[in-house]
């Protein structure tokens, strides 16, 4: 809803010249001062700004970011203040006016950019990111619509705009909304709430790819933009299983293509730094692992590719240290089952041999997102003391035909050399999708490789834990006995579990008069990640005034944060659980978890 009309006088200091665009909780205008000089103005509806995006000193965290950045990478902060309109409070931010053209407009007009122009623009954006990273901030939303260019002679001067997602690196619970981020430019780890400088490098490579090809990497038509879970799963599968190609590959220098592909295919830990990427796209530094493949792909290439480092899986077995199941609230039946059926058998080889005990091959934990499936797998590794390999779909991705298939075999070979080893496959549905709905020979081969490796893997000292929000998308052949033996539904945490979660998260924090029973009652249908966020947000509120966390602070935070999982989503999971129970024996398909 546009609040200010053209000509509106803002505190007798600025005149509205033009409405530009509207955001979720803000509006953008071009305004003039009394001398006719142009400025950009961002108007924030204070009541609509989410609690996570507020700042005690500046009102809005985006304003605080502008105070931290005074270089050439972002429009300079000129003025700020409060404005009251029809009993509503608004915060306004005035920045320098920067004439030019959005990169998205350039791409829309030209369709694709030439190599020299794309390289020039990429380096200009990188220079801006270098300034932000030097100030300790990641932008987290680098896309063509957030970059503006002003041409000066032969140089491209870039301004990085829209700092609503800028923050210090965050490994958990980022201090901004993520629902409005463009999925095709998001690094894989950001879907797990990990936002670091490495994510900006991924986004920069994605923007470079868009300039050269006219489309975002792995772009597809999204039928329902609100179905974020489906978007995430589809995009993850495409990034893992589909090669990244350049239709006009011959016109692009090999080092430019290689740098882009390597960056977009690498995990956060293996991704090039910003400096390395800048050197690589200029041919000053050779990418260490990636080798781009164009549209012309041949089965005969596979033999040569087997020896390449791209065919090797980077995941290593490790010993996890921690408190194990002591850190897991609820899930008592699940903890008991794995202690008796899995850990006991693997740890007591003599008894297992005497009684001819065979542990299960694997276990699938499924249910609503955010209920602690992956967290449980990590704590299982700590509890058991076994070697642990945590595998994401990006770890098995490859630019080569049959590359992923080779990595799957290599992964199980590594685990077999270090028994007993637990392999945890996060979001398993992306790795073994139902082949009946897939018209992709390479993908079917990869599912077949998984079937082969899962067969009786417990006899090789391997136990597999898989997690999935969409088990109905997994190929049925994977879920039979002898492969993934146990299907365990992890539901929403019940009241007892929620009470324990609050105790665990508030432990060792300064607190005062906390009523854990009431907190548990107030958070019905809240998932474990919701509770973690509520506690952290309450701690921030208390820290700003250097006072203990109180019941009042906690309850205010609960009122400001609704459950992440909707009632409709919960019903869909209940139907899914019923479907799996009907498909197999109930003794092998238990409802285990919080309840």
């Amino acid at each position: 809803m546009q609040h200010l009309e053209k000509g509106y006088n803002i505190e007798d200091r600025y005149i509205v010249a033009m409405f530009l665009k509207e955001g979720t909780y803000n509006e953008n205008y071009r305004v003039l001062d009394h001398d006719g000089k142009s400025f950009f103005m961002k108007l924030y509806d204070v009541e609509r700004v989410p609690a996570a995006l507020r700042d005690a000193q500046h009102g809005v965290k985006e304003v605080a970011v502008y105070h931290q950045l005074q270089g050439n990478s972002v429009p300079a902060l000129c003025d700020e203040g409060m404005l009251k309109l029809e009993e509503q409070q608004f915060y306004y931010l005035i920045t320098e006016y920067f004439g030019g053209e959005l990169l998205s407009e350039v791409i829309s007009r030209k369709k694709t950019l030439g190599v020299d122009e794309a390289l020039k623009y990429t380096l200009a954006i990188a220079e801006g990111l270098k300034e932000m990273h030097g100030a300790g901030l990641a932008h987290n939303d680098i896309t063509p619509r957030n970059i503006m260019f002003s041409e000066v002679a032969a140089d491209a001067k870039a301004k990085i705009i829209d700092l609503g997602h800028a923050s210090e690196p965050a490994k958990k619970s980022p201090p901004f909304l993520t629902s409005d981020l463009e999925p095709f430019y998001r690094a894989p780890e950001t879907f797990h709430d990990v936002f670091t400088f490495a994510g900006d490098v991924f986004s920069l490579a994605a923007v470079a790819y868009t300039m050269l090809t006219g489309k975002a990497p792995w772009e597809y038509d999204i039928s329902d933009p609100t179905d974020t879970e489906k978007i995430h799963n589809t995009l993850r599968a495409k990034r893992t299983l589909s090669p990244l190609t350049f239709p006009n590959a011959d016109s692009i220098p090999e080092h430019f293509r290689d740098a882009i592909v390597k960056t977009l295919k690498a995990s956060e830990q293996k991704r090039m730094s910003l400096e390395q990427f800048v050197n690589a796209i200029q041919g000053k530094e050779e990418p260490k692992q990636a080798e781009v493949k164009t549209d012309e792909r041949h089965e005969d290439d596979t033999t040569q590719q087997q020896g390449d480092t791209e065919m090797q899986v980077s995941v290593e077995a490790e010993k996890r240290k921690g408190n194990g199941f002591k850190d897991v609230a609820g899930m008592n039946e699940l903890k008991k089952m794995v202690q008796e059926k899995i850990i006991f058998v693997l740890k007591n080889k003599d008894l297992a041999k005497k009684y001819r005990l065979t542990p299960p091959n694997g276990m699938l934990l499924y249910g609503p997102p955010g209920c602690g499936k992956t967290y449980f797998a990590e704590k299982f590794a700590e509890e058991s003391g076994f070697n642990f390999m945590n595998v994401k779909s990006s770890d098995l991705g490859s630019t080569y035909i049959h590359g992923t298939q080779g990595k799957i075999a290599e992964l199980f070979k590594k685990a077999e050399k270090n028994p007993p080893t637990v392999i945890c496959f996060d979001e398993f549905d992306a790795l073994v999708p139902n082949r009946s709905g897939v018209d992709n020979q390479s993908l079917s081969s990869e599912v077949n490789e998984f079937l082969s490796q899962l067969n009786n893997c417990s006899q090789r000292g391997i136990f597999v834990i898989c997690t999935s929000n969409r088990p109905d998308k997994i190929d049925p052949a994977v879920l039979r006995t002898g492969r993934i033996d146990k299907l365990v539904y992890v539901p929403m945490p019940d009241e007892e579990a929620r009470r324990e979660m609050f105790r665990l998260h508030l432990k060792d924090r300064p607190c005062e008069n906390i009523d854990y029973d009431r907190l548990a009652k107030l958070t019905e249908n809240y998932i474990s990640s919701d509770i973690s966020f509520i506690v952290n947000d309450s701690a921030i509120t208390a820290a700003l005034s250097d006072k203990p966390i109180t019941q009042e602070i906690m309850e205010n935070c609960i009122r400001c944060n609704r459950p992440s999982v909707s009632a409709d989503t919960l019903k869909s999971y209940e139907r899914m659980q019923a479907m799996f129970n009907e498909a197999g024996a109930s003794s092998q398909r238990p409802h285990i978890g919080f309840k």
Side-chain angles (χ1 to χ4, degrees):
M1 176 181 176
Q2 182 180 344
H3 287 87
L4 304 182
E5 299 295 333
K6 181 178 179 180
Y8 185 88
N9 190 317
I10 302 170
E11 298 188 325
D12 201 28
R13 300 169 70 182
Y14 303 99
I15 301 295
V16 174
M18 181 184 300
F19 173 78
L20 298 176
K21 65 176 183 177
E22 181 179 12
T24 306
Y25 53 87
N26 58 63
E27 295 172 347
N28 294 263
Y29 298 85
R30 183 168 70 88
V31 298
L32 306 174
D33 66 7
H34 289 301
D35 296 327
K37 184 178 179 180
S38 291
F39 297 88
F40 284 122
M41 183 182 77
K42 202 162 190 177
L43 189 69
Y44 303 88
D45 186 338
V46 175
E47 291 184 0
R48 292 171 61 193
V49 175
L53 304 182
R54 296 175 186 170
D55 179 79
Q57 182 178 358
H58 302 288
V60 181
K61 286 187 176 180
E62 186 172 356
V63 179
V65 171
Y66 274 99
H67 279 273
Q68 289 179 255
L69 294 171
Q70 294 299 327
N72 297 315
S73 62
V74 301
L77 176 63
C78 300
D79 198 0
E80 58 186 296
M82 293 295 296
L83 184 65
K84 193 171 185 179
L85 298 172
E86 298 178 353
E87 302 306 317
Q88 283 183 269
Q89 291 291 331
F90 291 84
Y91 196 96
Y92 67 84
L93 175 72
I94 305 291
T95 62
E96 69 170 317
Y97 181 80
F98 185 77
E101 189 174 18
L102 289 174
L103 179 56
S104 58
E105 296 172 345
V106 175
I107 295 172
S108 177
R109 176 166 50 83
K110 294 187 175 183
K111 305 306 180 186
T112 60
L113 277 61
V115 172
D116 291 342
E117 192 174 19
L119 178 61
K120 180 175 65 173
Y121 282 173
T122 304
L123 293 175
I125 302 169
E127 190 64 29
L129 282 175
K130 182 180 178 182
E131 288 186 17
M132 292 195 69
H133 293 178
L137 295 169
H139 186 271
N140 300 317
D141 191 23
I142 293 296
T143 72
R145 63 179 173 81
N146 285 337
I147 306 296
M148 182 173 280
F149 286 102
S150 175
E151 295 288 354
V152 180
D155 297 326
K157 302 297 183 183
K159 289 286 186 183
I160 300 176
I161 62 174
D162 216 339
L163 304 180
H165 298 87
S167 72
E168 295 179 352
K171 293 282 187 177
K172 186 179 180 182
S173 300
F176 50 81
L177 299 177
T178 61
S179 57
D180 57 343
L181 292 172
E182 290 193 26
F184 303 121
Y185 296 94
R186 292 181 62 175
E189 67 271 11
T190 66
F191 289 102
H192 303 285
D193 288 342
V194 176
F195 290 84
T196 64
F197 301 144
D200 281 349
V201 179
F202 177 96
S203 300
L204 178 58
V207 169
Y209 181 87
T210 303
M211 288 190 281
L212 292 168
T213 65
K215 61 180 181 179
W218 295 288
E219 184 176 339
Y220 70 97
D221 291 333
I222 297 176
S223 57
D224 182 5
T226 63
D227 192 346
T228 54
E229 183 180 347
K230 181 179 179 181
I231 294 171
H232 177 194
N233 290 337
T234 303
L235 187 55
R236 184 177 64 247
K238 285 180 174 290
R239 287 176 173 176
T240 303
L241 304 171
S242 301
L244 192 64
T245 61
F246 293 82
N248 53 341
D250 293 341
S251 64
I252 305 171
E254 185 177 1
H255 61 261
F256 201 176
R257 289 181 281 132
D258 284 358
I260 292 173
V261 172
K262 178 179 184 295
T263 302
L264 295 177
K265 281 289 189 179
S267 64
E268 178 200 3
Q269 294 79 10
K270 298 291 184 180
R271 197 172 300 141
M272 284 186 283
S273 67
L274 180 62
E275 182 180 2
Q276 289 172 328
F277 179 72
V278 166
N279 288 334
I281 62 176
Q282 297 179 90
K284 296 179 181 179
E285 179 177 315
E286 286 295 322
K288 295 185 177 85
Q289 295 180 14
E291 178 178 337
V292 70
K293 297 298 289 182
T294 66
D295 284 331
E296 297 180 4
R297 297 177 287 122
H298 302 284
E299 294 287 344
D300 295 341
D301 295 336
T302 305
T303 303
Q304 180 180 355
Q305 293 159 5
Q306 293 293 331
D308 194 275
T309 54
E310 178 72 9
M311 299 294 290
Q312 299 174 4
V313 66
S314 59
V315 181
E316 299 292 341
E318 61 175 348
K319 291 281 188 180
R320 300 286 297 233
K321 296 181 180 180
N323 298 321
F325 289 158
K326 292 180 182 178
D327 290 339
V328 180
M331 299 192 186
N332 294 324
E333 292 180 56
L334 178 56
K335 288 185 283 190
K336 181 181 177 184
M337 186 270 287
V338 298
Q339 285 279 17
E340 296 176 353
K341 304 290 186 182
I342 301 167
I343 296 176
F344 174 81
V345 177
L346 291 173
K347 280 190 171 182
N348 295 275
K349 294 182 179 179
D350 292 339
L351 283 174
K353 184 176 181 181
K354 178 180 178 180
Y355 286 91
R356 300 180 67 183
L357 303 177
T358 302
N361 266 318
M363 171 174 63
L364 173 69
L365 303 177
Y366 73 97
C371 286
K373 298 181 290 296
T374 304
Y375 182 74
F376 181 87
E378 294 171 352
K379 292 301 170 181
F380 172 90
E382 296 174 4
E383 182 76 16
S384 65
F386 302 153
N387 294 314
F388 185 70
M389 303 177 79
N390 192 15
V391 185
K392 297 181 174 61
S393 57
S394 58
D395 295 321
L396 300 178
S398 175
T399 58
Y400 301 115
I401 295 175
H402 303 314
T404 297
Q405 192 175 346
K407 284 189 173 185
I408 295 167
E410 177 67 20
L411 177 72
F412 278 86
K413 186 177 180 181
K414 279 187 176 183
E416 190 174 356
K417 289 180 179 178
N418 298 281
T421 292
V422 176
I423 306 179
C424 175
F425 292 103
D426 199 16
E427 298 175 323
F428 197 48
D429 48 285
L431 293 170
V432 286
N434 194 328
R435 289 167 294 177
S436 64
V438 175
D439 185 18
N440 185 317
Q441 184 60 43
S442 177
L443 191 151
S444 294
S445 298
E446 289 148 12
V447 175
N448 288 335
E449 182 66 35
F450 258 113
L451 295 177
S452 175
Q453 295 295 339
L454 287 170
N455 276 330
N456 301 314
C457 62
S458 63
Q459 297 176 13
R460 293 176 281 158
I462 301 171
F463 181 72
V464 175
I465 298 180
C466 309
T467 71
S468 175
N469 298 332
R470 293 302 305 270
D472 54 321
K473 301 295 184 182
I474 296 175
D475 193 282
V478 177
L479 302 180
R480 71 162 177 79
T481 52
R483 288 174 182 149
I484 301 299
D485 306 279
K486 294 185 176 297
L487 274 63
V488 181
Y489 178 64
V490 181
M492 305 284 283
D494 61 9
E495 186 174 319
E496 181 181 352
R498 295 196 300 274
R499 181 168 52 250
E500 185 60 26
M501 284 179 187
F502 278 113
R503 291 186 185 277
L504 287 171
H505 286 298
L506 286 168
K507 183 181 179 182
D508 299 327
R509 301 183 198 241
C511 299
E512 187 176 275
N513 301 323
I514 300 297
D515 185 345
Y516 294 100
D517 289 334
R518 177 165 171 77
L519 293 179
K521 285 182 170 60
L522 291 174
T523 50
E524 185 178 359
N525 288 335
Y526 283 68
I527 58 178
S528 54
S529 58
D530 290 336
I531 292 173
S532 174
F533 177 83
I534 287 167
V535 172
N536 191 62
D537 199 40
S538 298
I540 291 173
T541 301
L544 290 171
S545 56
D546 195 16
K547 294 181 179 179
I549 303 170
T550 64
Q551 182 74 15
E552 182 182 3
I553 291 175
M554 294 290 295
E555 291 190 19
N556 285 337
C557 190
I558 291 172
R559 282 192 289 269
C560 292
N561 293 277
R562 296 179 179 178
S564 297
V565 181
S566 67
D568 289 341
T569 301
L570 284 177
K571 289 180 180 178
S572 70
Y573 277 102
E574 291 171 0
R575 291 193 294 269
M576 200 180 300
Q577 184 205 2
M579 178 186 70
F580 279 108
N581 283 342
E582 291 174 3
S586 59
S587 60
Q588 287 189 320
R589 303 289 191 262
H591 175 121
I592 295 179
F594 295 108
K595 295 184 178 180

